[in-house]
Amino acid sequence: MMFDRRNTLKSIGFAGCLSFTPGRAWAQGSRATASLDPYADMQWGHGFEGQRKADLGNGMFLNPVFAGDHPDPTILRDGDDYYLTFSSFDAYPGIVIWHSRDLVNWRPVTAALATPIGSVWAPELVKHDGRYFVYIPARSRTKKSIYVIHSDRIEGPWSAPIDLNLPDHIDPGHAVGEDGARYLFLSGGDRVKLTPDGLAKAGPVEHVYDPWHYPENWVVETFAPEGPKITRHGKYYYMTLAVGGTAGPPTGHMVVMARSRSIDGPWENDPDNPVIKTMSAREKWWSRGHATPFEGPGGQWWMIYHGYENGYWTLGRQALLQPFEWNANGWARPVGGDLSEPLKKPVDLGTLPSGMPLSDDFSTDRFGIQWSFYDPGRNEKTRVRRMDSVMHVRGKGTSPSDCSPITCICGDHRYRIEVDIEVDSGAEGGLLLFYSRRLYAGLGLNAKGLVMHRYGLQRQSGKPPAIRNRMRVAIENDRNIVTMYTSADGGKIWEKFDVQMEVSGYNHNTAYDFLSLRPGLYSAGKGEVRFSRFTYRAMT
């Protein structure tokens, strides 16, 4: 008798839990692992070094518009130009500002925040009376507040952070009322009035809105109303928020909306809330939320927000672009489904560069635009100097956990990184996939030989006979399966390291911190570590 797998699954209670798509391979187990990716046949464009690119080259694009860790997007339209930035958390320099004219292809402009103020959460980028502002929530071990930096030019220079003394809130959203007064809307339905220059509070925090609440039986992380964005359209001010918690279950994070004829309220909830929500773990994009509505080229309206990619929590929250329409009752109604299919570009300006190369010969300073320190001290960059295409990094701490590794963001499912490493006798340095001080993987070198890192733990290993104080290291991350290699001759002959790793659990749901797994370099101990010829290549 022929075995009917679908009917058998139904008979044991799995009806509705699985869907079957012709041409896609399915296996038993959780769809949260990349090896079971039901969307493996999706095809993106290719940018620098083969990196995943949204622009398909045919007038269409496929999300994400920012692959890799780009959470809490905040966007500014300035004529025909669009500028955007994201939460940078523990990375410094931070608040990297990007520019685009077609909303699909983006290039970095500058890193606006150089002074460490703690872990940077959802910022707000605005322009008011000819000046640019970024409002920045930040949390350190000793202080929580919201800060503001400003500049007369988007390229900078940007001011030092100014403390607004708002310790109890996150996620500021800038708004201008009917009378021209400036406000920051805050998490939890609160707001505070600003001085006309936008650089100080002009009154106490007040509660102005009771956020819409989902039904009690929905599967979410927690209520957490946050990310209020105020948009003026027609007769109304629209407030767009996120509720349901940032990560947790795939169906938790969502987009809700309310509106008012006055900046002072009362606020009327959208009768069809939530506007955007991941409905099941079968979808391509999980935990979709923290949206900003805005008008794009040609009068079409869009929302940009973030989501986790099914099977790739390690990449962090990636930026998604979705069109929407205003219905007859004046409410926003997104189109485009779960964003697993291509969409028409907002405007087709031809072939444009997007992103940036990640390979670095260390001949120029790429801190801020590409590289950043993890949780640095105020003078961290004094540890670094460059000479003859070699980056010299003075040691700090004793391991990746306390030495402020230097990391960059990538957004590919499969990639290979390589670097030459040379260490002083008292130093240790290496190549990492780094999540946080508690969780990382990779390979280092010290006077005793090789050091293997996994789970955020170190193990001293033997030293191949040909390796002394210098080697080239390679790490391949193939859909969360990590393989490491060493070379004693600069990359001509490679020796595979005898331990491989599975790293899909290196993510926020395991270790908190809202971060991503990033390529990184570390220099610990006493003395110096020298790095050269860092290369990145997406594997297809």
Side-chain angles (χ1 to χ4, degrees), residues 352-408:
L352 296 173
S354 186
M356 59 184 166
L358 296 180
S359 298
D360 191 358
D361 63 6
F362 300 117
S363 61
T364 59
D365 185 354
R366 295 177 65 179
F367 271 85
I369 296 298
Q370 175 181 347
W371 297 109
S372 58
F373 286 104
Y374 170 81
D375 192 19
R378 287 193 170 268
N379 297 308
E380 203 72 36
K381 204 172 178 184
T382 61
R383 294 174 56 205
V384 177
R385 62 186 178 92
R386 288 174 180 75
M387 183 182 298
D388 299 327
S389 294
V390 176
M391 184 170 70
H392 302 244
V393 184
R394 190 171 69 248
K396 172 186 173 181
T398 59
S399 73
S401 66
D402 60 1
C403 75
S404 294
I406 298 166
T407 67
C408 63

Side-chain angles (χ1 to χ4, degrees), residues 207-226:
H207 187 72
V208 294
Y209 169 63
D210 292 321
W212 178 87
H213 203 293
Y214 45 79
E216 190 66 28
N217 64 342
W218 284 17
V219 179
V220 300
E221 182 181 32
T222 186
F223 184 38
E226 57 191 18

Side-chain angles (χ1 to χ4, degrees), residues 15 41 50 53 63 88 150-151 188-189 195 277 285 316 323 336 338 365-366 388 398 409 420 425 437 473 528:
D41 56 354
K53 181 179 177 181
N63 276 292
S88 48
H150 59 90
S151 175
T195 55
K277 183 181 185 296
W285 293 101
D338 70 351
D365 185 354
R366 295 177 65 179
D388 299 327
T398 59
I409 296 170
D420 288 322
S425 59
R437 62 171 53 86
V473 184
E528 187 179 79

Side-chain angles (χ1 to χ4, degrees), residues 87-349:
S87 297
S88 48
F89 290 97
D90 301 283
Y92 284 87
I95 304 294
V96 178
I97 296 174
W98 296 75
H99 170 259
S100 177
R101 286 199 164 185
D102 68 357
L103 302 177
V104 173
N105 296 286
W106 295 84
R107 298 300 305 276
V109 176
T110 189
L113 180 64
T115 303
I117 53 176
S119 181
V120 167
W121 292 20
E124 172 81 322
L125 173 64
V126 297
K127 185 179 184 181
H128 186 80
D129 285 344
R131 177 178 286 185
Y132 299 92
F133 300 81
V134 186
Y135 293 92
I136 309 169
R139 297 186 169 197
S140 70
R141 296 177 183 89
T142 59
K143 184 178 177 62
K144 300 177 182 178
S145 194
I146 295 176
Y147 301 78
V148 60
I149 57 176
H150 59 90
S151 175
D152 292 330
R153 301 173 64 248
I154 196 74
E155 301 86 357
W158 285 82
S159 73
I162 299 168
D163 187 355
L164 296 178
N165 296 306
L166 290 165
D168 300 323
H169 293 83
I170 57 172
D171 297 8
H174 182 268
V176 179
E178 305 96 305
D179 60 355
R182 301 175 67 177
Y183 299 88
L184 287 184
F185 281 71
L186 306 167
S187 56
D190 295 347
R191 77 171 186 187
V192 64
K193 191 173 184 179
L194 297 174
T195 55
D197 63 6
L199 302 180
K201 294 182 297 186
V205 173
E206 55 184 342
H207 187 72
V208 294
Y209 169 63
D210 292 321
W212 178 87
H213 203 293
Y214 45 79
E216 190 66 28
N217 64 342
W218 284 17
V219 179
V220 300
E221 182 181 32
T222 186
F223 184 38
E226 57 191 18
K229 303 293 183 182
I230 306 299
T231 307
R232 188 75 183 268
H233 178 67
K235 301 176 183 177
Y236 292 98
Y237 290 91
Y238 289 83
M239 186 190 307
T240 307
L241 303 96
V243 298
T246 301
T251 55
H253 206 37
M254 66 193 84
V255 178
V256 302
M257 294 186 76
R259 70 185 182 188
S260 171
R261 292 183 181 271
S262 168
I263 199 70
D264 298 316
W267 295 91
E268 167 197 7
N269 287 316
D270 188 329
D272 291 330
N273 273 332
V275 176
I276 295 172
K277 183 181 185 296
T278 300
M279 302 307 294
S280 84
R282 292 190 296 271
E283 293 185 24
K284 174 62 177 174
W285 293 101
W286 290 355
S287 301
R288 295 192 286 160
H290 204 102
T292 301
F294 66 97
E295 186 177 0
Q300 170 69 56
W301 282 79
W302 299 82
M303 288 188 184
I304 191 160
Y305 56 90
H306 63 218
Y308 282 103
E309 188 171 5
N310 188 334
Y312 296 96
W313 289 95
T314 53
L315 291 177
R317 290 167 291 169
Q318 305 180 59
L320 309 172
L321 182 67
Q322 183 163 7
F324 75 90
E325 300 169 351
W326 298 101
N327 71 10
N329 295 320
W331 291 108
R333 294 294 174 257
V335 295
D338 70 351
L339 305 188
S340 61
E341 300 292 338
L343 297 168
K344 186 177 180 181
K345 290 170 60 177
V347 60
D348 194 349
L349 301 179

Side-chain angles (χ1 to χ4, degrees), residues 3-18:
F3 176 69
D4 187 335
R5 182 169 183 267
R6 179 189 286 255
N7 288 334
T8 300
L9 288 170
K10 287 182 179 179
S11 70
I12 61 176
F14 283 88
C17 295
L18 296 176

